[in-house]
Amino acid sequence: QLQLADSGGGSVQSGGSLRLSCAASGRPYSTYCMGWFRQAPGKEREEVVSIDSSGTVTYLDSVKGRFTIAHDNAENTLHLQMNNLKPEDTGTYFCAAKGRIFNINDGFRCMAEWAFWGQGTQVAVSA
């Protein structure tokens, strides 16, 4: 069973940087489709970045050029480097994983449901 533990959040001023970590245990996270989500107070949770079954990374438009995924396979940890942070980046950040299924015609595909979640880490960006 995969388990995820988020860390690295904090309080920074606008323009600052943070590096979030998602430490996986139980299974290699690389065998899953991965993502980072965030939820601001009073708002819906939104997907910030996802990694699909082929390793393709997709970023939310508002974070493109500022956020970057980094892999540490030796530590079984996925990082989210966040630069030039803005107040609108404030929220609780969660890493998540979903399984992959294999189809002989299409190869690996991500399953529909995000089945595994970290506990969340708080990010606060002040103006």
Side-chain angles (χ1 to χ4, degrees):
Q1 183 82 348
L2 181 71
Q3 293 184 315
L4 303 174
D6 308 318
S7 64
S11 297
V12 297
Q13 290 188 326
S14 182
S17 297
L18 286 171
R19 190 188 196 207
L20 305 185
S21 297
C22 175
S25 59
R27 302 279 302 271
Y29 82 80
S30 59
T31 62
Y32 293 81
C33 298
M34 299 295 295
W36 281 96
F37 291 77
R38 68 186 179 190
Q39 187 165 21
K43 294 189 176 181
E44 296 287 322
R45 184 175 62 197
E46 64 180 350
E47 184 177 293
V48 176
V49 59
S50 65
I51 307 171
D52 70 14
S53 56
S54 66
T56 299
V57 182
T58 302
Y59 294 95
L60 183 68
D61 283 348
S62 62
V63 308
K64 285 180 180 177
R66 300 189 296 121
F67 290 13
T68 306
I69 284 288
H71 297 275
D72 185 344
N73 291 323
E75 295 294 328
N76 203 21
T77 299
L78 182 68
H79 299 287
L80 180 64
Q81 178 66 42
M82 307 188 297
N83 297 327
N84 191 22
L85 283 161
K86 303 178 180 181
E88 52 263 42
D89 296 318
T90 294
T92 302
Y93 283 69
F94 303 86
C95 71
K98 51 186 175 181
R100 302 185 302 174
I101 53 176
F102 181 78
N103 178 290
I104 195 167
N105 295 314
D106 302 324
F108 281 106
R109 290 290 183 268
C110 299
M111 297 179 73
E113 180 185 355
W114 292 99
F116 306 96
W117 291 86
Q119 80 282 6
T121 185
Q122 301 275 353
V123 171
V125 185
S126 58

